[in-house]
Amino acid sequence: MIKKIKNLSAMQLIAFCMAIISILWICKNSVYFIMEKTSAKTEVLSVDDFELVGIIKDENGNYVSTDSDPQLILKKDMKIARVSIVGEFSVNPGEMLVYYTQKEGQGFAPHKRYWIYKESDGNTYTASMPLKKVKSLRIDPTTFAGNTMQIKEIVINKQKEFFEYFKPTFSDIFNLLVFSCVISSIIYLLKDLFKSNSIKN
């Protein structure tokens, strides 16, 4: 096996690394699929289930942000892999985030957060993450004051079809290309180094 790798050209080495990384990616997502199917419970919540910070409810039943850092806070032990907001906003919500804590008394911090992205249906905004146990959850639904939010529901662990676990994102493809090139370059350099040393000896 090692001899075969040594005889590979630069392009063949990149292709080999891409194949190995792709197999590892498939294995990782297979583990995520099994873990979520066996441990992640789907819950459909309303905004009223959350503590509102910087958000008020108007006479029409909509929610309006009163400052640039509105928050929806839920204190509950649960396992999460996805958080989805279904609804509409009067203006572009801007940066949307999900924060979480994993210990009692722990504060929300930047290293424990995920970005929320708009899905193709135009009304669903989802943050995905590896399955984890949390003590509390905080959703920052918008970065603008005066944004009227018609939030129909907030879904914890929205179910995904099997094939969706293996649908690569732009970042997955980017990482595949970058890591394949970097790893193959390192292997190629080491191969040349060992070759030159063997010639000297």
Side-chain angles (χ1 to χ4, degrees), residues 8-19:
L8 293 177
S9 66
M11 292 306 296
Q12 288 174 327
L13 196 54
I14 291 173
F16 175 77
C17 290
M18 289 180 69

Side-chain angles (χ1 to χ4, degrees), residues 3-184:
K3 288 183 178 180
K4 288 182 179 180
I5 293 174
K6 286 182 178 180
N7 294 328
L8 293 177
S9 66
M11 292 306 296
Q12 288 174 327
L13 196 54
I14 291 173
F16 175 77
C17 290
M18 289 180 69
I20 296 300
I21 292 171
S22 297
I23 291 170
L24 292 174
W25 180 81
I26 291 170
C27 292
K28 179 195 73 173
N29 287 349
S30 297
V31 171
Y32 286 167
F33 170 75
I34 294 170
M35 289 176 64
E36 289 183 22
K37 289 298 180 184
T38 56
S39 303
K41 177 184 176 184
T42 300
E43 294 186 62
V44 180
L45 307 172
S46 71
V47 175
D48 293 332
D49 294 316
F50 290 74
E51 175 188 344
L52 307 184
V53 177
I55 299 173
I56 60 171
K57 192 172 185 178
D58 66 15
E59 63 276 7
N60 297 317
N62 297 321
Y63 298 89
V64 182
S65 56
T66 58
D67 58 39
S68 59
D69 189 26
Q71 302 170 5
L72 302 169
I73 299 174
L74 179 66
K75 295 179 180 178
K76 182 178 181 181
D77 288 348
M78 53 188 166
K79 293 181 179 179
I80 60 169
R82 275 173 305 286
V83 178
S84 301
I85 301 172
V86 181
E88 298 178 359
F89 297 80
S90 60
V91 297
N92 189 310
E95 187 177 75
M96 304 172 72
L97 295 164
V98 170
Y99 291 81
Y100 64 92
T101 66
Q102 294 180 292
K103 294 180 180 178
E104 292 290 348
Q106 187 179 60
F108 295 106
H111 66 282
K112 290 183 179 290
R113 68 178 180 182
Y114 287 89
W115 272 261
I116 298 174
Y117 296 100
K118 189 175 184 178
E119 294 191 25
S120 57
D121 65 3
N123 294 321
T124 304
Y125 302 79
T126 300
S128 297
M129 64 201 76
L131 184 69
K132 55 183 82 269
K133 293 181 180 179
V134 304
K135 289 290 185 181
S136 62
L137 197 66
R138 182 185 115 194
I139 300 172
D140 293 5
T142 183
T143 52
F144 299 106
N147 198 346
T148 300
M149 302 172 281
Q150 296 178 312
I151 300 177
K152 297 178 182 178
E153 61 187 21
I154 297 172
V155 185
I156 307 298
N157 300 324
K158 178 184 175 184
Q159 290 295 310
K160 290 171 63 176
E161 297 295 333
F162 178 75
F163 74 90
E164 291 182 276
Y165 288 87
F166 306 97
K167 185 178 179 181
T169 63
F170 173 80
S171 62
D172 290 329
I173 296 171
F174 178 79
N175 290 336
L176 173 64
L177 295 174
V178 170
F179 285 122
S180 297
C181 290
V182 171
I183 294 171
S184 61

